[in-house]
Amino acid sequence: MFNLRKCRVGVVGLGYVGLPLAVEFGKHFDTVGFDVKPERIRELKAGRDSTREASPDELRAALRLEFTTRLQDLKPCGVMIVTVPTPIDEYKRPELTPLIRASESIGEVLSKGDVVIYESTVYPGCTEEVCVPILERVSGLKFNRDFFAGYSPERINPGDKEHRLSTIRKVTSGSTPEAATFVDQLYGSIVHAGTHKASSIRVAEAAKVIENTQRDVNIALINELALIFKRLGIDTEEVLQAAGTKWNFLPFRPGLVGGHCIGVDPYYLTHKATEIGYHPEMILAGRRLNDNMGLHVASEVVRLMTHKRIHVSGARVLMMGLTFKENCPDIRNSKVVDVIRELEKYGALVDVYDPWIDAAEALHEYGIKPVRKLRKGHYDAAIVAVAHREFKAMGASAVRQLCRRNHVLFDIKYVFPAKDVDGRL
């Protein structure tokens, strides 16, 4: 039933996760990359990737990959892999609409013997409780008789050119032992780092959701320590460097926790935990602390400005960076926006500068129109919010030249030494 040699792969969703996957499969198998956005397909066919995850050379190397917006082009694919976003809504609840719509679309082209693999981050049980019933209803086929499912959580790290899809060990799973073996072999053919076959889809789903939950809780601890050390008059970075001399101390740093993974995934787990009658105290406490760090940064900047007798109302503030992390153009769930909004409540006029972002996307998502050029001697405060390589190359002195004589330079990401800035976390 499962024939790896004759496999044709369809990848549904060509964002940060789906495109690298389609490119790798396109080097070994006939592969169809599907996306509902015509503009995305046009740029990929032209050899361009606005996410910067795949270079033109990498796109050209995927000789067996084709791109399409036509759902029927997925019909010949025996394997379909879903890599759509799984965000949260305004009430911090899982927003499964993209996943549901993708499942409905696949159900329309599903054939007997097909395998549908999900990579999107979900809570344990979501694939088989939400997605599979949709596939059955739309296709009219019977699960684990006519078609099969798998789950292999994505581990893409946007902007990371060292840890790539093929060099990160892949967790795999399937809805039957035979399907699990096939899914494992399929990914094993493109992932040089190897695979780990989980005993069930639910185990694989749980493994994914706790990876980022663990990071979230650890960063929350360091953020709380930073708040404590600030009151004690101790430099947090010095403390972490000293503690880091112990072999098993984990090297986390304080900061804003945004993005589509760490700031979102824990809510999928807490949603499921609450559904089964358990209130997850530690995870939610970490989420609350991390979600409020933007307000803390804004208040620190205001405090430093007030100390220097700089009127905050009407002050010009330069926000350096809008993306959720360094050296990537992804602005989804950026907590830098929280700092901007809070400063604007004080009456500050905030300019955003980020060489990595798409200006139209920033305007659409947040109503922010980034500045394209920086003016010397123009700002009352500058905040280094993202550790882009361009900002590191500038150096603190060049950033200070953008400011007036009396100003504040605040460094959220430890880009510059403590002696070169007026404040940091």
Side-chain angles (χ1 to χ4, degrees), residues 48 167 188:
R48 301 189 307 272
T167 62

Side-chain angles (χ1 to χ4, degrees), residues 104-297:
E104 290 171 340
S105 296
I106 290 173
E108 294 181 23
V109 294
L110 197 63
S111 301
K112 285 190 175 182
D114 286 355
V115 180
V116 183
I117 304 169
Y118 291 86
E119 288 213 3
S120 308
T121 302
V122 292
Y123 53 78
C126 184
T127 299
E128 291 160 299
E129 296 167 8
V130 176
C131 302
V132 166
I134 294 172
L135 295 173
E136 285 189 310
R137 173 176 55 81
V138 176
S139 69
L141 300 176
K142 183 67 176 177
F143 179 51
N144 280 341
R145 185 191 70 188
D146 301 323
F147 74 93
F148 305 85
Y151 184 80
S152 182
E154 61 90 2
R155 282 176 167 172
I156 296 294
N157 187 25
D160 190 338
K161 299 306 179 184
E162 179 182 354
H163 301 97
R164 308 300 297 268
L165 172 65
S166 62
T167 62
I168 303 172
R169 195 173 183 190
K170 202 83 162 70
V171 173
T172 67
S173 64
S175 56
T176 67
E178 295 78 15
T181 297
F182 172 74
V183 172
D184 192 65
Q185 291 173 344
L186 178 66
Y187 281 103
S189 67
I190 66 166
V191 178
H192 309 314
T195 60
H196 174 91
K197 185 167 67 172
S199 62
S200 69
I201 288 176
R202 286 166 60 88
V203 168
E205 290 168 327
K208 168 57 182 175
V209 80
I210 71 165
E211 288 176 11
N212 286 325
T213 299
Q214 183 187 64
R215 285 183 57 79
D216 191 45
V217 171
N218 274 292
I219 296 171
L221 171 62
I222 301 301
N223 275 335
E224 187 162 62
L225 292 175
L227 299 179
I228 294 171
F229 295 147
K230 175 68 67 176
R231 287 161 174 74
L232 292 174
I234 302 173
D235 184 81
T236 302
E237 176 68 2
E238 288 189 31
V239 175
L240 295 175
Q241 287 178 350
T245 59
K246 191 178 182 203
W247 74 91
N248 60 351
F249 186 82
L250 300 177
F252 289 97
R253 289 296 183 271
L256 304 176
V257 184
H260 59 100
C261 288
I262 300 179
V264 172
D265 294 356
Y267 288 120
Y268 275 76
L269 184 56
T270 58
H271 166 80
K272 189 63 176 180
T274 304
E275 194 176 74
I276 60 175
Y278 179 80
H279 180 71
E281 296 184 18
M282 178 178 288
I283 299 172
L284 287 175
R287 277 283 73 235
R288 285 192 297 270
L289 201 149
N290 284 340
D291 276 346
N292 285 323
M293 285 305 291
L295 307 184
H296 167 72
V297 169

Side-chain angles (χ1 to χ4, degrees), residues 41-68:
I41 297 301
R42 282 196 296 269
E43 73 170 18
L44 292 174
K45 283 184 174 181
R48 301 189 307 272
D49 171 29
S50 57
T51 70
R52 306 194 198 185
E53 289 300 307
S55 68
D57 287 342
E58 288 171 326
L59 288 173
R60 282 191 292 269
L63 298 177
R64 301 169 69 177
L65 170 62
E66 60 183 76
F67 299 109
T68 185

Side-chain angles (χ1 to χ4, degrees), residues 91-109:
Y91 303 107
K92 313 293 187 184
R93 299 175 305 194
E95 173 52 89
L96 297 177
T97 301
L99 200 64
I100 291 170
R101 288 179 177 170
S103 299
E104 290 171 340
S105 296
I106 290 173
E108 294 181 23
V109 294

